[in-house]
């Protein structure tokens, strides 16, 4: 298996623009998680899905953030409009409950 | 609510010396506990996990951790540090019996290995 695949690896955008981050989980995993990592706040859980249904989105910082999982093999995290304070590394992880999370390589987002 | 405290944001050891990274947790139900490692510009990789059963858990790269319920601890150890162990290490807790499956991560400990 290719693991959890995130795209793009790096994204530089201007303040106010829409940003879409993408994730392909491991086939057969029924949980998907979005985390944000910054020096100041460490790893923050933004939202997680079970069987494509959002279970807990209490970590989504503002209405500017939204996440979808239209099917078992794809999820997106969208920021609209983006702000400089959104600059971070965003990780997607998937799990089948038994073996722990498998993380993607992350998307480094820079908003200028 | 569950929480994780990692003591020491930076730890330095000499090559060949014992590695000890500390993790204490808070949980209202029997927890699942995890250690992850993150190398520069990479995602987190699972080192080891405790769910039930034997409290001494062995993981990859020679690491192990012991679940001590009375101390609410899950410290990570390795008998002899190698240069390749330099990375950031994260402890995490989840409460599967509470109906949720999210992990709460500690703030991380950056391990430096001195030649």
């Amino acid at each position: 298996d290719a693991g959890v695949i995130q795209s793009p690896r790096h994204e530089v955008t201007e303040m106010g623009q829409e940003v879409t981050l993408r994730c392909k989980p491991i086939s057969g995993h029924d949980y998907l998680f979005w985390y944000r990592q910054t020096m100041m706040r460490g790893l923050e859980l933004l939202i997680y899905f079970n069987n494509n249904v959002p279970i807990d989105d209490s970590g989504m910082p503002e209405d500017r953030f939204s996440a979808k999982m239209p099917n078992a093999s794809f999820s997106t995290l969208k920021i609209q409009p983006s702000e400089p304070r959104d600059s971070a590394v965003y990780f997607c992880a998937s799990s089948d409950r038994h073996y722990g999370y498998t993380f993607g390589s992350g998307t480094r987002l820079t908003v200028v | 609510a569950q929480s994780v405290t990692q003591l020491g944001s930076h730890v330095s050891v000499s090559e060949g010396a014992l590695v000890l990274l500390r993790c204490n947790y808070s949980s209202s139900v029997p927890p699942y506990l995890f250690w992850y490692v993150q190398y520069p510009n990479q995602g987190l990789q699972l080192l080891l996990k405790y769910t039930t059963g034997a409290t001494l858990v062995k993981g990859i790269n020679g690491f192990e951790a012991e679940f001590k319920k009375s101390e609410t601890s899950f410290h990570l150890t390795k008998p002899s540090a190698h240069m390749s162990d330099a990375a950031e290490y994260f402890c995490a807790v989840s409460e599967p019996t509470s109906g949720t499956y999210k992990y709460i991560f500690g703030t991380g400990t950056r391990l430096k290995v001195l030649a």
Side-chain angles (χ1 to χ4, degrees):
Chain A
D1 199 315
V4 176
I5 299 173
Q6 292 187 245
S7 64
R9 285 298 308 275
H10 302 274
E11 176 80 38
V12 180
T13 190
E14 292 185 349
M15 183 174 62
Q17 296 298 306
E18 177 179 296
V19 175
T20 300
L21 311 181
R22 296 172 176 81
C23 175
K24 177 179 169 56
I26 290 174
S27 177
H29 282 187
D30 55 354
Y31 284 85
L32 185 138
F33 306 82
W34 283 100
Y35 280 85
R36 177 171 68 175
Q37 186 177 37
T38 61
M39 290 292 292
M40 293 297 295
R41 296 186 174 182
L43 273 165
E44 301 174 276
L45 175 64
L46 300 177
I47 186 171
Y48 80 95
F49 296 83
N50 179 218
N51 292 322
N52 313 335
V53 176
I55 302 300
D56 184 348
D57 65 355
S58 59
M60 297 285 263
E62 300 172 35
D63 291 345
R64 298 184 296 107
F65 286 70
S66 63
K68 294 182 180 179
M69 193 166 184
N71 57 61
S73 59
F74 184 66
S75 177
T76 59
L77 178 67
K78 186 177 293 186
I79 308 172
Q80 166 63 21
S82 58
E83 296 184 3
R85 59 194 169 120
D86 301 330
S87 298
V89 181
Y90 291 81
F91 287 105
C92 175
S94 70
S95 176
D96 65 355
R97 185 194 295 260
H98 301 295
Y99 296 108
Y101 293 4
T102 299
F103 280 81
S105 298
T107 295
R108 183 174 296 276
L109 174 64
T110 303
V111 183
V112 298
Chain B
Q2 71 263 47
S3 66
V4 173
T5 301
Q6 291 185 241
L7 294 175
S9 58
H10 292 80
V11 170
S12 294
V13 299
S14 298
E15 191 174 19
L18 171 72
V19 176
L20 170 61
L21 304 181
R22 299 178 186 275
C23 173
N24 288 89
Y25 69 91
S26 173
S27 176
S28 56
V29 300
Y32 285 7
L33 296 159
F34 308 84
W35 275 100
Y36 281 80
V37 60
Q38 184 179 30
Y39 298 102
N41 299 316
Q42 294 186 25
L44 281 72
Q45 178 184 359
L46 181 65
L47 268 181
L48 51 79
K49 65 175 182 177
Y50 168 80
T51 54
T52 59
T55 56
L56 182 62
V57 180
K58 296 186 185 298
I60 62 172
N61 302 338
F63 284 93
E64 63 182 35
E66 187 171 10
F67 170 57
K68 292 187 176 181
K69 183 179 179 181
S70 61
E71 299 177 9
T72 61
S73 69
F74 191 58
H75 301 330
L76 181 70
T77 60
K78 182 174 180 177
S80 177
H82 191 273
M83 297 298 289
S84 61
D85 295 327
E88 189 152 22
Y89 292 80
F90 293 89
C91 182
V93 63
S94 74
E95 295 182 336
T97 58
S98 68
T100 68
Y101 189 55
K102 60 183 181 183
Y103 292 11
I104 300 301
F105 284 87
T107 51
T109 298
R110 187 170 298 276
L111 176 66
K112 186 175 182 179
V113 182
L114 306 171

